[in-house]
């Protein structure tokens, strides 16, 4: 069966709307299109896909262009160029966890464009593939046949950081497909590190499977546009290589669908990125996870094309089941927030293979400071990975734990980070490896112990904790001494500055010690378990007295008349520790209801800004759906009304919905924490994760 007919059959049930997809009324601040890692991450930041250029998550234009010719008339369906070409009216947008689908209509023809990134966390092999499928489907709306041609083009600038860098291009043939390739001429592999950066090594690839009426070429965007508008075949590749990226060389594909009638006619391409090496960890270069057994990009593209049909079906089944459970857990508003957060959570990280082939997952602290493997970024995102695949949380913790074993980290508390992305060569935040200045000692130590405890709960054993017991024991001892009434230090909300006697930070330390007692018990250390359990209980009892402020609890023990979100308290419920009396969370939830703004609950009494992830954690303190909805509905309003057109920001104003800072960060995975408070659903989803395969060192 030819590929084009197969595509039509596959997609016949998609588009107009998945059963559980977000409705057209949904207006996200930015729409995910191609979402794989911090470098290969392309979004639409306009209401319509043809309302502006597509952009890298940083906001810099990384242009994908889509044109359609209907009965000789040319229209834009993606991007804002050529300006002289009218935009085909957009009629719909459907967004699910793994795909984005746009609908357009005009001249008697409907056009649907499907961006599928099959980021299935239960299957790291597939999740790590840097391949997005773009499927274009046309159909007559008026029963009359129409001549339809489609163009999809990717700008070579996707392979460089700035427009002044030189790009080169080439083509190759694989099994039943043509592959166009663009890259930086100099290939400065892993030379730069920082926050507001794009990749400038490796290769951008446009794979065009053999389909009826398909052609492909690499030329200037002007030449491609004019040839398409005039109905001419694309010229062969421009041979004038190399060229500055800002001169707009594109990898282009054109599909002549011929006469299109009532039967849907589909074509698809694969957009991919081969970075060769992804991360520098402790001064060694690490390959992407999909390469760990020596697979080449050519082999990957052939496999990805072979798997097109099955992955489309798997992703659809995954989406429908997940969204049904999202609505079961938190209702429509919650489902809307969580669906938008899904691909962003994964795309802010890179999955690579260690020298022995085992997975390591490195998150980037996007538009915060560019740090890599930040503990207080891994911590808020951890519910996502605890839910869908606990092995991926281990893959984030492993680089940090191995770092502490090197002896370079000499402090009695947990580190903050491993460097600046993509170089994970040692902590750079605050005092780095040299001093305790501007560190987060209680914060990070508590985060690590809580994540280890959560892993033990979902896995039913503490073998992973036992492997690193000396470090965990050291951090527990530190919290025993310093956690009850923290000194003047930073917490994960470091944008708010230093704060002494932080009541919410104290909760974290107390629950972390409770979690440590559970780990000690599970590893046969009964006396230690008893000691730390009693210690945590005594500290919790003291906390209730020290933080009491009438009908709620204080921001800081020494600051009467203050309040804050006690989001860390959620682990008492999730881990079943029962250290704090129920009256604490009940009083806090009642108090929060009276302090909600239009777009959410402020982080504390000092400012009107908030953190989206913490709001969902705070809402999870209650098992009352009405109270939960009261806290979640403003988040839905923020997403749909914010004037900050960026990938989902987790730090914004509850008064006007404007971004305060941060965007495209993995911390939004924290919105999946209500699943951890529903044991049946936590078990259901975590059990779907495939058992780790035998990892072999890359050849």
């Amino acid at each position: 069966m030819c590929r084009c007919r197969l595509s039509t059959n596959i997609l016949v049930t998609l588009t107009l709307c998945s059963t559980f997809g977000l409705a057209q009324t949904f207006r996200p601040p930015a729409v995910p299109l191609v979402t794989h890692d911090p470098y290969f991450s392309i979004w639409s930041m306009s209401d319509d896909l043809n309302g502006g250029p597509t952009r890298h998550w940083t906001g810099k234009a990384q242009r994908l262009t889509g044109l359609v010719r209907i009965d000789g008339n040319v229209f834009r369906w993606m991007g804002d160029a050529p300006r002289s070409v009218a935009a085909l009216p957009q009629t719909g947008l459907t967004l699910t966890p793994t795909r984005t689908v746009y609908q357009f209509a005009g001249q008697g023809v409907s056009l649907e464009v499907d961006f599928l990134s099959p980021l299935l966390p239960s299957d790291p092999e597939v999740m790590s593939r840097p391949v997005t499928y773009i499927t274009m489907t046309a159909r007559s709306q008026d029963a009359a046949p129409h001549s339809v041609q489609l163009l999809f083009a990717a700008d070579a600038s996707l392979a460089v950081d700035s427009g002044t860098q030189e790009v080169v291009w080439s083509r190759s043939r694989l099994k039943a497909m043509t592959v166009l390739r663009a890259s930086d001429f100099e290939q400065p592999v892993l030379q730069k590190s920082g926050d507001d950066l794009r990749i400038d090594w490796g290769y951008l690839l446009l794979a065009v499977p053999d389909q009826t009426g398909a052609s492909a070429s690499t030329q200037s965007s002007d030449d491609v546009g004019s040839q398409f508008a005039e109905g001419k075949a694309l010229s062969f590749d421009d041979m004038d290589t190399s060229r500055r990226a800002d001169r707009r060389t594109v990898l282009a594909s054109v599909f002549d669908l011929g006469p299109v009638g009532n039967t849907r006619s589909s074509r698809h391409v694969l957009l991919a990125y081969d970075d060769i090496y992804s991360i520098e960890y402790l001064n060694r270069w690490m390959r992407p996870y999909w390469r760990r057994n020596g697979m080449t990009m050519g082999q990957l593209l052939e496999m990805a094309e072979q798997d097109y049909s099955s992955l489309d079906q798997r992703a659809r089944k995954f989406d429908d089941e997940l969204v049904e459970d999202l609505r079961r857990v938190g209702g429509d508003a919650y489902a809307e927030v969580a669906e938008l957060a899904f691909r962003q959570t994964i795309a802010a990280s890179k999955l690579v293979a260690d020298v022995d082939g085992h997975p390591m997952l490195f998150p980037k602290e996007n538009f915060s400071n560019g740090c890599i493997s930040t503990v207080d970024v891994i911590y808020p995102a951890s519910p996502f990975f605890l839910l869908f695949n606990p092995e991926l949380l281990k893959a984030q913790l492993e680089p940090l734990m191995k770092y502490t074993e090197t002896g370079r980290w000499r402090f009695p508390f947990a580190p903050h980070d491993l460097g600046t992305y993509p170089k994970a060569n040692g902590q750079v935040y605050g005092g780095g490896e040299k001093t305790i200045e501007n560190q987060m000692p209680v914060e990070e130590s508590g985060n690590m112990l809580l994540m280890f405890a959560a892993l033990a709960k979902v896995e039913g054993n503490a073998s992973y904790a036992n492997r690193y017991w000396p470090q965990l024991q050291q951090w527990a001892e530190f919290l025993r001494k310093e956690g009850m009434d923290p000194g003047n230090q930073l917490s994960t909300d470091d944008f708010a500055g230093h704060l002494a006697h932080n009541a919410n930070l104290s909760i974290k330390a107390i629950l972390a010690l409770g979690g440590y007692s559970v780990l000690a018990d599970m590893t046969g250390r009964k006396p230690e378990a008893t000691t730390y359990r009693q210690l945590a209980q005594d500290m919790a009892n003291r906390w209730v007295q020290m933080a009491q402020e009438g009908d709620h609890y204080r921001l800081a023990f020494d600051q009467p008349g203050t309040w804050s979100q006690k989001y860390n308290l959620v682990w008492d419920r999730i881990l079943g520790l029962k250290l704090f009396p129920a009256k604490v969370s009940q009083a806090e939830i009642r108090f929060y209801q009276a302090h909600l703004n239009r777009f959410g609950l402020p982080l504390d009494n000092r400012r009107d800004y908030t953190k989206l992830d913490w709001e969902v954690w705070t809402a999870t303190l209650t098992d009352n759906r009405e109270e939960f909805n009261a806290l979640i509905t403003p988040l839905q309003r923020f997403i749909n009304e914010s004037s900050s057109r960026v990938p989902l920001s987790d730090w914004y104003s509850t008064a006007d919905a404007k971004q305060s800072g941060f965007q495209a960060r993995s911390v939004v995975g924290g919105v999946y924490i209500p699943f951890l408070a529903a044991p049946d659903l936590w078990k259901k989803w975590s059990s779907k994760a495939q058992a780790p395969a035998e990892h072999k060192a890359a050849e």
Side-chain angles (χ1 to χ4, degrees), residues 47 113 325 583:
D47 284 348
V113 183
D325 280 349
K583 68 177 183 179

Side-chain angles (χ1 to χ4, degrees), residues 490-534:
L490 295 170
S491 70
T492 183
D493 306 316
D494 54 355
F495 49 82
H498 289 68
L499 179 66
H501 318 296
N502 186 330
N504 188 44
L505 189 57
S506 176
I507 289 174
K508 176 172 291 181
I510 294 167
L511 294 177
L513 291 172
Y516 178 76
S517 73
V518 172
L519 293 173
D521 184 65
M522 294 177 74
T523 57
R525 298 173 171 88
K526 303 298 182 180
E528 194 171 5
T530 300
T531 297
Y532 273 90
R533 170 68 198 193
Q534 188 58 54

Side-chain angles (χ1 to χ4, degrees), residues 86-341:
L88 189 66
Q90 181 175 310
T91 58
L93 166 62
T94 301
L95 188 149
T96 70
T98 65
R99 75 174 77 229
T100 296
V101 183
Y102 284 95
Q103 290 93 30
F104 307 87
Q107 303 287 295
V109 171
S110 66
L111 173 66
E112 177 181 280
V113 183
D114 178 328
F115 295 84
L116 170 63
S117 297
L119 303 177
L120 303 174
S122 64
D123 188 349
E125 178 72 42
V126 169
M127 190 192 84
S128 69
R129 296 179 183 178
V131 180
T132 288
Y133 302 90
I134 299 101
T135 303
M136 300 153 282
T137 303
R139 182 177 63 84
S140 173
Q141 288 186 312
D142 57 11
H146 296 274
S147 174
V148 177
Q149 294 80 39
L150 297 165
L151 178 144
F152 174 87
D155 201 296
S157 64
L158 271 69
V160 295
D161 177 47
S162 69
T164 60
Q165 291 176 291
E166 297 275 317
V167 293
V168 293
W169 52 89
S170 62
R171 75 162 56 216
S172 60
R173 279 291 296 175
L174 295 175
K175 182 180 179 181
M177 72 173 69
T178 296
V179 180
L180 304 181
R181 184 172 74 168
S183 62
D184 186 324
F185 175 73
E186 294 186 351
Q187 289 294 302
V189 181
L190 289 167
Q191 287 188 14
K192 301 181 182 70
S193 62
D195 198 356
D196 191 1
L197 287 176
R198 276 72 39 195
I199 197 167
D200 58 4
W201 73 90
Y203 304 92
L204 171 71
L205 301 117
L206 177 63
V208 184
D210 293 346
Q211 300 161 96
T212 303
S215 60
S217 179
T218 302
Q219 301 179 56
S220 75
S221 60
D222 290 342
D223 289 344
V224 167
S226 63
Q227 291 167 20
F228 183 77
E230 295 170 11
K232 297 179 180 178
L234 292 180
S235 300
F236 195 72
D237 301 337
D238 188 337
M239 303 304 290
D240 185 21
T241 180
S242 64
R243 179 181 297 156
R244 276 176 50 133
D246 55 14
R247 290 181 58 190
R248 299 289 317 281
T249 300
V250 297
L251 311 181
S253 56
V254 169
F255 304 94
D256 188 346
L257 306 187
V260 171
N262 293 330
T263 302
R264 294 159 54 84
S265 182
S266 296
R267 303 290 188 273
H268 71 277
V269 297
L270 289 69
L271 191 66
Y273 205 98
D274 182 8
D275 59 4
I276 315 286
Y277 290 97
S278 307
I279 298 292
E280 183 176 293
Y281 174 59
L282 301 182
N283 302 116
R284 65 178 186 265
W285 288 4
M286 307 187 78
R287 292 189 181 275
Y289 184 73
W290 64 266
R291 275 189 179 271
R292 69 194 183 285
N293 293 324
M295 180 178 285
T296 66
M297 176 51 77
Q299 291 170 328
L300 177 64
L301 289 174
E302 290 178 343
M303 182 179 294
E305 173 61 10
Q306 180 181 337
D307 293 345
Y308 171 57
S309 173
S310 62
L311 286 178
D312 177 84
Q313 294 169 13
R314 285 177 62 188
R316 190 179 323 287
K317 181 180 178 182
F318 176 88
D319 288 346
D320 287 350
E321 185 177 3
L322 176 56
V323 178
E324 185 175 21
D325 280 349
L326 287 170
R327 289 175 172 166
R328 173 183 165 190
V329 166
D332 289 346
Y334 171 68
E336 197 165 290
V337 175
E339 284 186 89
L340 184 58

Side-chain angles (χ1 to χ4, degrees), residues 632-658:
I632 297 299
T633 299
L635 277 63
Q636 180 191 41
R637 193 176 295 126
F638 155 66
I639 286 174
N640 283 280
E641 298 181 23
S642 176
S643 60
S644 302
R645 306 308 298 270
V646 300
L648 193 55
S649 173
D650 56 287
W651 179 26
Y652 69 92
S653 166
T654 61
D656 60 15
K658 291 182 179 179

Side-chain angles (χ1 to χ4, degrees), residues 540-596:
N541 295 340
R542 290 174 58 196
W543 186 96
V544 173
Q545 300 303 316
M546 294 169 64
Q548 182 69 49
E549 181 68 20
D551 62 351
H552 67 282
Y553 297 86
R554 297 176 178 177
L555 163 68
F557 296 135
D558 64 338
Q559 294 186 19
T562 61
W563 65 273
S564 66
Q565 290 188 44
K566 306 301 189 297
Y567 54 83
N568 286 315
L569 189 59
V570 71
W571 292 106
D572 202 23
R573 176 184 177 188
I574 291 171
L575 297 178
L577 298 174
K578 299 180 180 179
L579 290 170
F580 289 84
K583 68 177 183 179
V584 175
S585 58
Q586 292 168 356
E588 287 290 290
I589 288 292
R590 285 194 299 269
F591 184 83
Y592 300 148
Q593 307 293 317
H595 290 77
L596 278 167

